[in-house]
């Protein structure tokens, strides 16, 4: 019994700060419970908002990565197309030089052909082959002109596509 009496005194001492103002301790506990519930609902709402923002951030990151990958792919294609363009230019220069040389040889004074021994004015196989070559070279130059034009259009389109991808990446970030 002594122990119980001492324990009651100790508990009353602990409860004294709560009962000095005349307030019922149980009503104070109920008020604390309400505050805890309100804080819990705020924390729950905050967690939900954080999860929502995290999903949004992930989606934006994926959009930025996709746009960045697209830009890298475009840049790589542009490099390849520029190499192709330089090859077209080299081919054009080479064929033009060959045509120019052919026209120069046409203006040279006559003589016997070193290969077949015929006169250049004759209707020989060599003379006929040169005409075919000159015609083919001219056709090839025309074809290269079309290919370069198409390639220039493609490069311009890739430039536009890259600009759009950069805008998407900027918007997503």
């Amino acid at each position: 019994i002594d122990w119980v009496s001492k324990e009651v005194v100790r508990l009353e001492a602990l409860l004294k700060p709560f009962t000095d103002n005349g307030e019922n301790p149980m009503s104070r506990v109920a008020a604390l419970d309400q505050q805890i519930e309100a804080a819990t609902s705020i924390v729950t709402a905050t967690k939900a908002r954080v999860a929502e923002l995290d999903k949004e951030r992930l989606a934006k990151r994926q959009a930025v990565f996709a746009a960045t990958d697209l830009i890298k792919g475009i840049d790589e294609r542009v490099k390849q197309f520029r190499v192709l363009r330089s090859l077209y230019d080299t081919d054009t220069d080479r064929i033009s030089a060959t045509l120019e040389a052919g026209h120069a040889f046409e203006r040279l004074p006559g003589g016997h052909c070193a290969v077949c021994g015929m006169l250049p004015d004759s209707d020989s196989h060599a003379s006929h082959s040169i005409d075919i070559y000159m015609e083919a070279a001219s056709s090839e130059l025309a074809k290269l002109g079309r290919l370069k034009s198409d390639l220039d259009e493609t490069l311009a389109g890739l430039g536009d596509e890259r600009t759009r991808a950069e805008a998407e990446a900027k918007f997503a970030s």
Side-chain angles (χ1 to χ4, degrees), residues 69-113:
D69 286 345
L70 179 61
I71 290 169
K72 287 178 184 176
I74 290 170
D75 288 346
E76 193 59 36
R77 279 184 273 156
V78 166
K79 284 180 195 174
Q80 292 169 348
F81 286 154
R82 285 188 178 146
V83 168
L84 182 60
R85 181 68 157 89
S86 71
L87 292 174
Y88 285 167
D89 289 340
T90 301
D91 286 349
T92 299
D93 293 345
R94 181 181 47 80
I95 293 171
S96 295
T98 304
L99 281 174
E100 187 178 323
H103 291 301
F105 279 115
E106 285 178 346
R107 285 184 240 123
L108 288 177
H112 291 286
C113 176

Side-chain angles (χ1 to χ4, degrees), residues 20 32 41 49 61 69-70 75 108 124:
D20 279 349
L32 286 173
S41 68
R49 180 66 178 143
R61 260 181 92 189
D69 286 345
L70 179 61
D75 288 346
L108 288 177
S124 70

